[in-house]
Amino acid sequence: MNRITGIMIVGVGGQGVILASELLCEAAMRMGYDVKKSEVHGMAQRGGSVVSNVRFGEKVYSPLISKGEADILLSFEQLETLRWLDYIKPEGKIIVNMQKIMPMAVAIGQGEYPGDVFGILKRKTDKIYRVDGLGIATKAGNVKAVNVAVIGALSNYLDIPEGIWKEVIENRVPPKTLKINLTAFEMGRNYGQE
């Protein structure tokens, strides 16, 4: 049977969603999987939604994840988690960075940020894993490492050895940020195991 794993990565422009999806794709390819990826950058330069679909397995014919088919929803921002919630499988997992980024409508007083985000998520699934990506990245030495911290948490739920993740990070991040990113990855991975 051709088992396909579908992971939807969502966040806000500037959070590093695209690099996170590239790290996942490369790690899966190094495992010998066929990998397909699709991205949507919704006004990413202005803090809009960014979503990446990653599917991997023996043979993948389409990168797109339909509603109700994502094995894992990896979210970099709480409101974005709600926006893409319908894509998760009933038995799927949600990994949420606890960060909140106010959309423009909220910032100018024309909207409200949803309250009780995790209460809403619990009505969908009880497999919710919170990660303080921003706190981890700050401790690691650079807030821009949020994406790698969140990937570290994701790595606990995929059958990809830690060494492959670290090789991929070494291959993809600028050399001057390598130590910070590897620290953020390890802290995210340990955080996910708590």
Side-chain angles (χ1 to χ4, degrees), residues 12-49:
V12 171
Q15 287 191 293
V17 169
I18 302 305
L19 177 59
S21 67
E22 290 172 355
L23 294 174
L24 172 59
C25 287
E26 189 171 332
M29 283 191 286
R30 287 182 183 217
M31 291 294 291
Y33 293 121
D34 186 25
V35 180
K36 299 282 188 296
K37 178 177 82 156
S38 173
E39 302 166 351
V40 176
H41 310 217
M43 300 291 282
Q45 296 290 328
R46 298 183 181 180
S49 291

mmCIF file of all heavy atoms in Angstrom, residues 12-49:
data_model
loop_
_atom_site.group_PDB
_atom_site.id
_atom_site.type_symbol
_atom_site.label_atom_id
_atom_site.label_comp_id
_atom_site.label_asym_id
_atom_site.label_seq_id
_atom_site.Cartn_x
_atom_site.Cartn_y
_atom_site.Cartn_z
ATOM 1 N N VAL A 12 2.306 33.153 9.029
ATOM 2 C CA VAL A 12 2.179 34.518 8.543
ATOM 3 C C VAL A 12 3.482 34.888 7.843
ATOM 4 O O VAL A 12 4.557 34.420 8.234
ATOM 5 C CB VAL A 12 1.899 35.457 9.742
ATOM 6 C CG1 VAL A 12 1.970 36.915 9.339
ATOM 7 C CG2 VAL A 12 0.551 35.122 10.363
ATOM 8 N N GLY A 13 3.382 35.712 6.815
ATOM 9 C CA GLY A 13 4.563 36.145 6.084
ATOM 10 C C GLY A 13 5.659 36.633 7.010
ATOM 11 O O GLY A 13 5.394 37.434 7.902
ATOM 12 N N GLY A 14 6.857 36.134 6.818
ATOM 13 C CA GLY A 14 7.991 36.534 7.626
ATOM 14 C C GLY A 14 8.340 35.548 8.725
ATOM 15 O O GLY A 14 9.376 35.698 9.372
ATOM 16 N N GLN A 15 7.509 34.528 8.927
ATOM 17 C CA GLN A 15 7.780 33.552 9.994
ATOM 18 C C GLN A 15 8.660 32.391 9.529
ATOM 19 O O GLN A 15 9.031 31.560 10.347
ATOM 20 C CB GLN A 15 6.473 32.993 10.559
ATOM 21 C CG GLN A 15 5.702 33.969 11.434
ATOM 22 C CD GLN A 15 4.575 33.265 12.158
ATOM 23 O OE1 GLN A 15 3.611 32.815 11.539
ATOM 24 N NE2 GLN A 15 4.715 33.146 13.472
ATOM 25 N N GLY A 16 8.926 32.297 8.250
ATOM 26 C CA GLY A 16 9.804 31.238 7.774
ATOM 27 C C GLY A 16 9.095 29.950 7.395
ATOM 28 O O GLY A 16 9.685 28.864 7.444
ATOM 29 N N VAL A 17 7.837 30.059 6.986
ATOM 30 C CA VAL A 17 7.068 28.875 6.579
ATOM 31 C C VAL A 17 7.733 28.179 5.388
ATOM 32 O O VAL A 17 7.851 26.949 5.360
ATOM 33 C CB VAL A 17 5.604 29.249 6.236
ATOM 34 C CG1 VAL A 17 4.872 28.100 5.571
ATOM 35 C CG2 VAL A 17 4.875 29.708 7.493
ATOM 36 N N ILE A 18 8.200 28.973 4.427
ATOM 37 C CA ILE A 18 8.756 28.375 3.211
ATOM 38 C C ILE A 18 10.050 27.618 3.529
ATOM 39 O O ILE A 18 10.243 26.489 3.073
ATOM 40 C CB ILE A 18 8.996 29.463 2.132
ATOM 41 C CG1 ILE A 18 7.677 30.195 1.819
ATOM 42 C CG2 ILE A 18 9.621 28.858 0.875
ATOM 43 C CD1 ILE A 18 6.529 29.306 1.414
ATOM 44 N N LEU A 19 10.935 28.199 4.321
ATOM 45 C CA LEU A 19 12.162 27.486 4.685
ATOM 46 C C LEU A 19 11.821 26.219 5.470
ATOM 47 O O LEU A 19 12.411 25.161 5.231
ATOM 48 C CB LEU A 19 13.097 28.374 5.521
ATOM 49 C CG LEU A 19 14.372 27.663 6.006
ATOM 50 C CD1 LEU A 19 15.200 27.137 4.836
ATOM 51 C CD2 LEU A 19 15.205 28.593 6.880
ATOM 52 N N ALA A 20 10.841 26.305 6.356
ATOM 53 C CA ALA A 20 10.444 25.108 7.118
ATOM 54 C C ALA A 20 9.975 24.002 6.179
ATOM 55 O O ALA A 20 10.339 22.836 6.353
ATOM 56 C CB ALA A 20 9.345 25.468 8.117
ATOM 57 N N SER A 21 9.191 24.367 5.164
ATOM 58 C CA SER A 21 8.708 23.341 4.231
ATOM 59 C C SER A 21 9.854 22.776 3.404
ATOM 60 O O SER A 21 9.876 21.585 3.083
ATOM 61 C CB SER A 21 7.596 23.899 3.336
ATOM 62 O OG SER A 21 8.094 24.883 2.455
ATOM 63 N N GLU A 22 10.831 23.619 3.080
ATOM 64 C CA GLU A 22 11.998 23.130 2.336
ATOM 65 C C GLU A 22 12.823 22.155 3.180
ATOM 66 O O GLU A 22 13.322 21.147 2.677
ATOM 67 C CB GLU A 22 12.861 24.314 1.882
ATOM 68 C CG GLU A 22 12.183 25.136 0.787
ATOM 69 C CD GLU A 22 12.918 26.428 0.459
ATOM 70 O OE1 GLU A 22 13.912 26.745 1.140
ATOM 71 O OE2 GLU A 22 12.473 27.121 -0.471
ATOM 72 N N LEU A 23 12.951 22.452 4.465
ATOM 73 C CA LEU A 23 13.677 21.531 5.361
ATOM 74 C C LEU A 23 12.962 20.186 5.423
ATOM 75 O O LEU A 23 13.592 19.127 5.345
ATOM 76 C CB LEU A 23 13.783 22.132 6.767
ATOM 77 C CG LEU A 23 14.637 23.403 6.917
ATOM 78 C CD1 LEU A 23 14.512 23.961 8.334
ATOM 79 C CD2 LEU A 23 16.093 23.136 6.568
ATOM 80 N N LEU A 24 11.641 20.221 5.560
ATOM 81 C CA LEU A 24 10.859 18.984 5.604
ATOM 82 C C LEU A 24 11.002 18.201 4.306
ATOM 83 O O LEU A 24 11.216 16.979 4.325
ATOM 84 C CB LEU A 24 9.387 19.306 5.887
ATOM 85 C CG LEU A 24 8.416 18.134 5.776
ATOM 86 C CD1 LEU A 24 8.787 17.004 6.741
ATOM 87 C CD2 LEU A 24 6.984 18.624 6.031
ATOM 88 N N CYS A 25 10.884 18.899 3.178
ATOM 89 C CA CYS A 25 10.986 18.212 1.880
ATOM 90 C C CYS A 25 12.344 17.547 1.714
ATOM 91 O O CYS A 25 12.434 16.385 1.299
ATOM 92 C CB CYS A 25 10.756 19.201 0.737
ATOM 93 S SG CYS A 25 9.054 19.716 0.550
ATOM 94 N N GLU A 26 13.401 18.268 2.038
ATOM 95 C CA GLU A 26 14.733 17.699 1.854
ATOM 96 C C GLU A 26 14.967 16.512 2.788
ATOM 97 O O GLU A 26 15.557 15.506 2.389
ATOM 98 C CB GLU A 26 15.809 18.768 2.061
ATOM 99 C CG GLU A 26 17.181 18.240 1.663
ATOM 100 C CD GLU A 26 18.266 19.303 1.627
ATOM 101 O OE1 GLU A 26 17.941 20.473 1.394
ATOM 102 O OE2 GLU A 26 19.431 18.930 1.845
ATOM 103 N N ALA A 27 14.474 16.614 4.017
ATOM 104 C CA ALA A 27 14.629 15.491 4.947
ATOM 105 C C ALA A 27 13.884 14.261 4.424
ATOM 106 O O ALA A 27 14.402 13.141 4.469
ATOM 107 C CB ALA A 27 14.121 15.892 6.334
ATOM 108 N N ALA A 28 12.671 14.469 3.917
ATOM 109 C CA ALA A 28 11.888 13.346 3.382
ATOM 110 C C ALA A 28 12.550 12.753 2.140
ATOM 111 O O ALA A 28 12.580 11.528 1.961
ATOM 112 C CB ALA A 28 10.463 13.805 3.071
ATOM 113 N N MET A 29 13.117 13.615 1.282
ATOM 114 C CA MET A 29 13.804 13.112 0.085
ATOM 115 C C MET A 29 15.030 12.283 0.465
ATOM 116 O O MET A 29 15.314 11.270 -0.160
ATOM 117 C CB MET A 29 14.208 14.275 -0.826
ATOM 118 C CG MET A 29 13.034 14.836 -1.608
ATOM 119 S SD MET A 29 13.495 15.983 -2.914
ATOM 120 C CE MET A 29 13.926 17.418 -1.947
ATOM 121 N N ARG A 30 15.750 12.722 1.505
ATOM 122 C CA ARG A 30 16.927 11.949 1.946
ATOM 123 C C ARG A 30 16.530 10.584 2.501
ATOM 124 O O ARG A 30 17.351 9.675 2.565
ATOM 125 C CB ARG A 30 17.721 12.737 2.987
ATOM 126 C CG ARG A 30 18.481 13.898 2.379
ATOM 127 C CD ARG A 30 19.302 14.636 3.391
ATOM 128 N NE ARG A 30 19.947 15.786 2.777
ATOM 129 C CZ ARG A 30 21.169 16.209 3.086
ATOM 130 N NH1 ARG A 30 21.865 15.583 4.018
ATOM 131 N NH2 ARG A 30 21.670 17.259 2.496
ATOM 132 N N MET A 31 15.256 10.451 2.912
ATOM 133 C CA MET A 31 14.746 9.152 3.368
ATOM 134 C C MET A 31 14.323 8.277 2.197
ATOM 135 O O MET A 31 13.868 7.152 2.379
ATOM 136 C CB MET A 31 13.563 9.353 4.312
ATOM 137 C CG MET A 31 13.931 9.962 5.648
ATOM 138 S SD MET A 31 14.973 8.881 6.654
ATOM 139 C CE MET A 31 13.809 7.577 7.057
ATOM 140 N N GLY A 32 14.419 8.821 0.975
ATOM 141 C CA GLY A 32 14.072 8.062 -0.211
ATOM 142 C C GLY A 32 12.624 8.185 -0.641
ATOM 143 O O GLY A 32 12.180 7.460 -1.538
ATOM 144 N N TYR A 33 11.883 9.087 -0.048
ATOM 145 C CA TYR A 33 10.482 9.269 -0.414
ATOM 146 C C TYR A 33 10.345 10.124 -1.675
ATOM 147 O O TYR A 33 11.170 10.997 -1.948
ATOM 148 C CB TYR A 33 9.713 9.971 0.708
ATOM 149 C CG TYR A 33 9.569 9.157 1.966
ATOM 150 C CD1 TYR A 33 10.069 9.632 3.174
ATOM 151 C CD2 TYR A 33 8.917 7.923 1.958
ATOM 152 C CE1 TYR A 33 9.933 8.900 4.342
ATOM 153 C CE2 TYR A 33 8.784 7.188 3.121
ATOM 154 C CZ TYR A 33 9.290 7.678 4.312
ATOM 155 O OH TYR A 33 9.160 6.948 5.458
ATOM 156 N N ASP A 34 9.265 9.894 -2.384
ATOM 157 C CA ASP A 34 8.822 10.814 -3.421
ATOM 158 C C ASP A 34 8.153 11.973 -2.677
ATOM 159 O O ASP A 34 7.333 11.744 -1.776
ATOM 160 C CB ASP A 34 7.824 10.110 -4.349
ATOM 161 C CG ASP A 34 7.429 10.962 -5.528
ATOM 162 O OD1 ASP A 34 8.195 11.860 -5.925
ATOM 163 O OD2 ASP A 34 6.319 10.730 -6.063
ATOM 164 N N VAL A 35 8.503 13.203 -3.016
ATOM 165 C CA VAL A 35 8.016 14.366 -2.267
ATOM 166 C C VAL A 35 7.428 15.383 -3.234
ATOM 167 O O VAL A 35 8.015 15.671 -4.279
ATOM 168 C CB VAL A 35 9.163 15.029 -1.471
ATOM 169 C CG1 VAL A 35 8.649 16.235 -0.682
ATOM 170 C CG2 VAL A 35 9.837 14.026 -0.545
ATOM 171 N N LYS A 36 6.264 15.921 -2.882
ATOM 172 C CA LYS A 36 5.671 17.009 -3.655
ATOM 173 C C LYS A 36 5.306 18.134 -2.698
ATOM 174 O O LYS A 36 4.857 17.899 -1.577
ATOM 175 C CB LYS A 36 4.404 16.538 -4.376
ATOM 176 C CG LYS A 36 4.612 15.412 -5.381
ATOM 177 C CD LYS A 36 5.193 15.902 -6.671
ATOM 178 C CE LYS A 36 5.230 14.857 -7.765
ATOM 179 N NZ LYS A 36 6.060 13.695 -7.555
ATOM 180 N N LYS A 37 5.477 19.365 -3.176
ATOM 181 C CA LYS A 37 5.206 20.538 -2.334
ATOM 182 C C LYS A 37 4.481 21.603 -3.128
ATOM 183 O O LYS A 37 4.735 21.776 -4.329
ATOM 184 C CB LYS A 37 6.523 21.109 -1.808
ATOM 185 C CG LYS A 37 6.364 22.341 -0.958
ATOM 186 C CD LYS A 37 7.689 22.821 -0.401
ATOM 187 C CE LYS A 37 8.397 23.641 -1.437
ATOM 188 N NZ LYS A 37 9.361 24.601 -0.883
ATOM 189 N N SER A 38 3.604 22.319 -2.468
ATOM 190 C CA SER A 38 2.909 23.454 -3.071
ATOM 191 C C SER A 38 2.879 24.582 -2.047
ATOM 192 O O SER A 38 2.800 24.330 -0.837
ATOM 193 C CB SER A 38 1.483 23.040 -3.446
ATOM 194 O OG SER A 38 0.758 24.173 -3.890
ATOM 195 N N GLU A 39 2.934 25.821 -2.540
ATOM 196 C CA GLU A 39 2.938 26.972 -1.633
ATOM 197 C C GLU A 39 1.957 28.032 -2.101
ATOM 198 O O GLU A 39 1.772 28.210 -3.297
ATOM 199 C CB GLU A 39 4.329 27.627 -1.597
ATOM 200 C CG GLU A 39 5.433 26.715 -1.186
ATOM 201 C CD GLU A 39 6.813 27.288 -1.490
ATOM 202 O OE1 GLU A 39 6.909 28.328 -2.173
ATOM 203 O OE2 GLU A 39 7.780 26.668 -1.054
ATOM 204 N N VAL A 40 1.382 28.735 -1.154
ATOM 205 C CA VAL A 40 0.562 29.913 -1.447
ATOM 206 C C VAL A 40 1.057 31.028 -0.541
ATOM 207 O O VAL A 40 1.059 30.885 0.684
ATOM 208 C CB VAL A 40 -0.941 29.667 -1.200
ATOM 209 C CG1 VAL A 40 -1.729 30.957 -1.437
ATOM 210 C CG2 VAL A 40 -1.459 28.548 -2.084
ATOM 211 N N HIS A 41 1.472 32.128 -1.164
ATOM 212 C CA HIS A 41 1.971 33.273 -0.404
ATOM 213 C C HIS A 41 0.909 34.362 -0.517
ATOM 214 O O HIS A 41 0.885 35.093 -1.495
ATOM 215 C CB HIS A 41 3.270 33.825 -0.985
ATOM 216 C CG HIS A 41 4.314 32.779 -1.234
ATOM 217 N ND1 HIS A 41 5.632 33.027 -1.017
ATOM 218 C CD2 HIS A 41 4.241 31.501 -1.667
ATOM 219 C CE1 HIS A 41 6.339 31.940 -1.318
ATOM 220 N NE2 HIS A 41 5.508 31.009 -1.722
ATOM 221 N N GLY A 42 0.030 34.458 0.435
ATOM 222 C CA GLY A 42 -1.017 35.470 0.406
ATOM 223 C C GLY A 42 -0.526 36.779 0.980
ATOM 224 O O GLY A 42 -0.573 36.961 2.183
ATOM 225 N N MET A 43 -0.064 37.677 0.143
ATOM 226 C CA MET A 43 0.443 38.975 0.609
ATOM 227 C C MET A 43 1.465 38.776 1.730
ATOM 228 O O MET A 43 1.420 39.437 2.763
ATOM 229 C CB MET A 43 -0.712 39.854 1.095
ATOM 230 C CG MET A 43 -1.742 40.141 0.030
ATOM 231 S SD MET A 43 -1.095 41.211 -1.266
ATOM 232 C CE MET A 43 -1.200 42.774 -0.421
ATOM 233 N N ALA A 44 2.353 37.819 1.509
ATOM 234 C CA ALA A 44 3.299 37.447 2.556
ATOM 235 C C ALA A 44 4.135 38.621 3.039
ATOM 236 O O ALA A 44 4.477 38.712 4.210
ATOM 237 C CB ALA A 44 4.203 36.323 2.052
ATOM 238 N N GLN A 45 4.442 39.557 2.147
ATOM 239 C CA GLN A 45 5.257 40.716 2.537
ATOM 240 C C GLN A 45 4.541 41.595 3.543
ATOM 241 O O GLN A 45 5.137 42.391 4.226
ATOM 242 C CB GLN A 45 5.617 41.531 1.293
ATOM 243 C CG GLN A 45 6.480 40.782 0.301
ATOM 244 C CD GLN A 45 7.890 40.554 0.799
ATOM 245 O OE1 GLN A 45 8.418 41.374 1.528
ATOM 246 N NE2 GLN A 45 8.488 39.430 0.441
ATOM 247 N N ARG A 46 3.221 41.493 3.609
ATOM 248 C CA ARG A 46 2.443 42.353 4.498
ATOM 249 C C ARG A 46 1.827 41.585 5.652
ATOM 250 O O ARG A 46 0.810 41.980 6.190
ATOM 251 C CB ARG A 46 1.351 43.058 3.694
ATOM 252 C CG ARG A 46 1.903 43.952 2.624
ATOM 253 C CD ARG A 46 0.824 44.670 1.901
ATOM 254 N NE ARG A 46 1.422 45.509 0.853
ATOM 255 C CZ ARG A 46 0.731 46.263 0.051
ATOM 256 N NH1 ARG A 46 -0.579 46.316 0.152
ATOM 257 N NH2 ARG A 46 1.317 46.982 -0.866
ATOM 258 N N GLY A 47 2.382 40.470 5.997
ATOM 259 C CA GLY A 47 1.872 39.716 7.134
ATOM 260 C C GLY A 47 0.676 38.863 6.809
ATOM 261 O O GLY A 47 -0.053 38.462 7.713
ATOM 262 N N GLY A 48 0.446 38.566 5.532
ATOM 263 C CA GLY A 48 -0.672 37.715 5.140
ATOM 264 C C GLY A 48 -0.376 36.244 5.362
ATOM 265 O O GLY A 48 0.729 35.857 5.753
ATOM 266 N N SER A 49 -1.381 35.430 5.116
ATOM 267 C CA SER A 49 -1.245 33.993 5.295
ATOM 268 C C SER A 49 -0.247 33.390 4.310
ATOM 269 O O SER A 49 -0.212 33.778 3.142
ATOM 270 C CB SER A 49 -2.593 33.294 5.056
ATOM 271 O OG SER A 49 -3.491 33.608 6.063
#
